[in-house]
Each structure stands twice: as C-alpha cells, then as structure tokens.
C-alpha cells in the first residue's frame, strides 16, 4: 500500500500538467450531458403535445360511440357531427373527474406534504396545469343543455383535453420531485409535520393532544407549503371530531341535556393565520 501511494505521488509530481486536459474533458462531458438533457426535454414537450391531441380525439370518439349505441344499428353518416349536448355532457364528466383528482391533493394535507409540488405554482408543470384549468373553467358552458355554438364546443373540447394531459404531467412530476426541491432542514420540517399530522387526526389521541399536534403542524409548514382555506377547514374538522369511547354500563341512559352539562364539548383547534410564502419574501 505504501509503495502504491508513493508511486501515485511520484506520478502526480511529474505529470501534474495533465490536470488541465482532464478538466477540459470533464467540462466537455458536462456540456454533452446538458445538451442531451435539453433534447430529452424537447422530446418530452413534443410527446405532451401529441398526448393532448390524442386525449381530445379520445373524448370526441367516446361521445360518438355513446351516441351510436343510443341510436342502435343504422346507416352511419361520416359527415355528420356529434350532437352538441351529447358531447358537452361527456366533456362535463371528464372536466369534473380531473377537478376531483386535483382536489384530492388540494384538500388532503398529508398528500400536500408528501407531494408539495402539486400546490406550488412556481413549478413550471404545475403552473401549466393551473393555466389549463383556468382556461377549461372559463370555456365551460353553463349547463349540458345550454345552447352553444359548434365553435364553443370545439374550444371547450380542446381545453378539456389540454386540462387532462396537463394534470397527468403535473402529477407525475410532483411524484417524481417529492421534497427534492427543499433544503435538508426544510425536509426535516416536512417529516416532522407528517408525523405530527398523524397524531392530529388520530382518534385514539386526546383532544388536547390533537390540538397541540395540529398547531405544531401549522408551524412546521409555515413558509414551506401554503394550505388553502378549504384544506385548513377539512383538517380542522378532522382534528375536532368527537373521540369514540366505549359506552359504560349504567342503569338509566342520561338525557342529552344531562350529557351536555356533564361533559363540555371538545374544543375546536385554534385557527392559526400564517403568512403566505410570497408575503414573506
């Protein structure tokens, strides 16, 4: 081992100048990797555009199929267009399904902690999804029976297709990123918040324990993840729900008024108003 180390230092002493071409080679490799990443990103964007077009065609094809089933066997007129109300009803179902999947993240604090990118509008793919949602919501007719032009149906069809694809891409990216965009101290805070959240919604914990855990969850997430008012409301209801306890044997059942007088109602968790992350910067 000593001879190997001595030989290495002798080599380094005589051929120290090799470090410059080696650094140049390393820099070239880094640039090649960057170009390759850029090409992969461009191919991914092209794939997204193709997926959006396919999704739009898929939605329209489903509407055509359902319409044909209702009509029964008949001579098919390939030049006929889809009945607007049939297509709009199908688009409503697709639109609502995507929104429900998004709300599953938006209102579930545990999911927001696990996949914070889904609520971070600074992430490019999340921002693209939110823009697609805004467009689809704006183009949505008042009802499935509303009178709409063919142009309006076409625009809404394209918007729902883009909305569906944008959500799928944002979701995959959020699940890939997880908490990698946070620093090590921030990741530790997220881990603590996740553990405290389990106590806050644990039915076996006392109300006082749940309230304390809830307050600490909000403190740990302060400046890291912005919880919507709806998410806070859902969480507070989970924290404040009654703790189920086995009924004790008794000769007579107390009245509701007696029970209310004997046991005070469980206090609701204190609502904590925390500054938005963009307000702190």
């Amino acid at each position: 081992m000593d001879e190997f180390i001595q030989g290495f230092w002798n080599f380094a002493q005589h051929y120290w100048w090799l470090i410059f071409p080696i650094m140049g080679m390393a820099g070239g490799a880094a640039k090649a990797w960057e170009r390759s990443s850029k090409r992969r990103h461009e191919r991914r964007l092209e794939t997204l555009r193709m997926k959006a077009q396919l999704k739009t065609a898929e939605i329209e094809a489903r509407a055509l199929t359902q319409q044909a089933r209702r009509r029964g066997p008949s001579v098919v007129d390939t030049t006929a267009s889809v009945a607007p109300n049939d297509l709009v009803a199908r688009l409503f179902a697709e639109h609502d399904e995507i929104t429900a999947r998004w709300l599953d993240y938006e209102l579930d604090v545990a999911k927001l902690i696990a996949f914070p990118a889904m609520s971070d509008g600074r992430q490019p793919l999340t921002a693209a999804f939110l823009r697609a949602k805004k467009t689809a919501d704006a183009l949505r007719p008042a009802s499935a029976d509303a009178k709409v032009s063919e142009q309006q149906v076409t625009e809404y069809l394209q918007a729902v297709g883009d909305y569906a694809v944008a959500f799928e891409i944002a979701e995959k990216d959020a699940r890939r990123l997880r908490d990698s965009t946070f620093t090590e101290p921030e990741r530790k805070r997220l881990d603590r918040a996740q553990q405290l959240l389990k106590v806050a919604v644990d039915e076996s914990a006392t109300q006082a324990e749940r309230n304390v855990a809830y307050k600490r969850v909000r403190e740990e997430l302060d400046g890291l993840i912005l919880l919507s008012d709806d998410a806070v409301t859902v969480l507070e209801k989970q924290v404040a729900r009654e703790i189920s306890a086995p009924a004790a044997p008794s000769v007579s059942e107390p009245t509701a008024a007696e029970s209310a007088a004997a046991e005070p109602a469980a206090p609701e968790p204190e609502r904590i108003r925390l500054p938005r992350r963009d307000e702190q910067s």
Side-chain angles (χ1 to χ4, degrees), residues 11 26 29 151 154 187 216 247:
F11 176 84
Q151 178 65 25
T154 301
R187 285 196 289 270
R216 290 192 58 193

Side-chain angles (χ1 to χ4, degrees), residues 200 207-219 227 232-233 235-237 239-240 266-274:
Q207 189 64 56
E209 289 172 338
R210 282 196 258 171
N211 287 346
V212 171
Y214 165 80
K215 184 176 181 179
R216 290 192 58 193
V217 167
R218 299 296 307 276
E219 291 173 350
L227 301 181
V232 171
T233 300
L235 178 57
E236 287 180 347
K237 288 181 179 179
V239 174
E268 293 188 359
E270 178 185 358
R271 183 184 288 269
I272 305 172
R273 171 59 183 167
L274 298 177

Side-chain angles (χ1 to χ4, degrees), residues 197-211 238-239 241-246:
L197 183 62
K198 294 178 181 178
V199 178
V201 298
D202 186 0
E203 292 185 359
S204 63
T206 66
Q207 189 64 56
E209 289 172 338
R210 282 196 258 171
N211 287 346
Q238 292 176 331
V239 174
R241 64 188 171 189
E242 290 187 10
I243 303 174
S244 57

